[in-house]
Amino acid sequence: MKQPPTEEELAAAKSEQEAKFAARQAYKKAQDVKSQAVKALKKGQKIEGEVKSIQPFGAFVEVAEGVEGLVHITELSDDFNVNVEDFCKVGEKVTVTVIGIEGAKVKLSMKEKLDLSEMNAEAQSVVDNSASALEYAFKKKGISADMFPKGSAAAAAPAPAAEAPKQAAPAAAAAAAPAAAPAAPAAEKPKAAAAAGGVSAALVKQLRDA
C-alpha cells in the first residue's frame, strides 16, 4: 500500500505548481507585450534594429522589445547565391523596412526600393506640364535648343516660295482678258445682217412700184 505524501513532498509539489503558474503568466504577459509591439508596426516603416541571429535562409533582427523579424535572403540583395554574413553580423545595427505582418510574424527587407511616386513628383517639378517625356530626357542629359545650329531654321525659310503661283494667277487672268475682247464684235453681226436685209427689201419694193 502506497504511503501518503509527507508534508515536505506536499510543499514541494505546491511550489512546483506555483512556479509553473507563474511561468505561464509571465509568458502570457510577454506575448501580450509582443502583440502590442507588433500592432504598432506599419507596412513600409523603416526601423533600426539589432541583428540577433543569422541563419542560412536569412537574418533575424529585433525591431522592438521582444519582437524579431526575419530578413529573408532574397530581401538582402537582388543577386543570386549571396551569403547572409556578407550583409550583416550578429549584434550589428541595421536599418530595415517592414514589408509584411502576418500575425506575430514580421517580414523585413534590407533592399533599397525605388519610390516611383517621389520620382514622378521630381519630374513634375522639373518639367512643365506641356513638356514631353523626350524633352525631359533631353533636359536630364543637359541638352537644350541652343545647342542646335540655327541653319536648320533658315533652311525652312524658302517655304513661302510655294505661294508664288497664287500671285502669278491674277497676272495670267489679266493676260487672258484681252484675248477674249475681240469676240465682242460678234454681237454686231445681227445688226449688219439686219441692215443688209433692210436694203434688199427696199430695192425690191421700188422695183415693184415701178
Side-chain angles (χ1 to χ4, degrees):
M1 185 176 179
K2 187 177 180 181
Q3 296 294 328
T6 63
E7 292 183 2
E8 291 79 5
E9 291 175 346
L10 290 174
K14 183 178 180 181
S15 297
E16 184 179 357
Q17 289 179 354
E18 290 177 352
K20 289 181 179 179
F21 178 77
R24 287 196 298 268
Q25 290 295 106
Y27 176 79
K28 182 180 179 181
K29 184 178 180 179
Q31 290 298 110
D32 291 340
V33 172
K34 180 179 179 179
S35 176
Q36 293 297 326
V38 171
K39 289 180 180 180
L41 298 175
K42 302 297 181 182
K43 187 176 180 180
Q45 181 180 0
K46 288 184 179 294
I47 307 173
E48 183 178 358
E50 181 181 351
V51 180
K52 289 298 184 179
S53 64
I54 292 178
Q55 304 296 332
F57 52 83
F60 286 94
V61 180
E62 186 179 39
V63 293
E65 185 178 356
V67 179
E68 294 184 6
L70 172 63
V71 181
H72 195 265
I73 192 169
T74 58
E75 292 297 332
L76 291 171
S77 173
D78 290 326
D79 298 332
F80 295 98
N81 300 324
V82 298
N83 187 0
V84 180
E85 294 182 350
D86 293 339
F87 295 89
C88 57
K89 306 290 183 184
V90 175
E92 181 182 0
K93 296 288 186 179
V94 295
T95 301
V96 294
T97 304
V98 179
I99 59 174
I101 301 174
E102 296 179 0
K105 295 182 180 179
V106 181
K107 297 181 180 180
L108 306 173
S109 175
M110 290 176 60
K111 292 194 299 186
E112 290 294 333
K113 305 287 186 180
L114 291 177
D115 191 350
L116 296 181
S117 60
E118 183 178 351
M119 293 177 64
N120 291 335
E122 180 183 358
Q124 186 69 20
S125 63
V126 174
V127 185
D128 296 333
N129 293 333
S130 60
S132 64
L134 184 60
E135 290 173 337
Y136 174 64
F138 282 157
K139 287 186 178 182
K140 291 288 286 185
K141 294 294 184 180
I143 301 175
S144 63
D146 296 336
M147 300 175 64
F148 292 93
K150 296 184 178 180
S152 59
E163 297 181 359
K166 295 181 180 179
Q167 297 177 356
E188 299 178 358
K189 289 182 179 180
K191 294 181 180 180
V199 172
S200 299
L203 290 175
V204 171
K205 185 178 180 181
Q206 292 177 0
L207 292 173
R208 285 179 180 177
D209 294 338

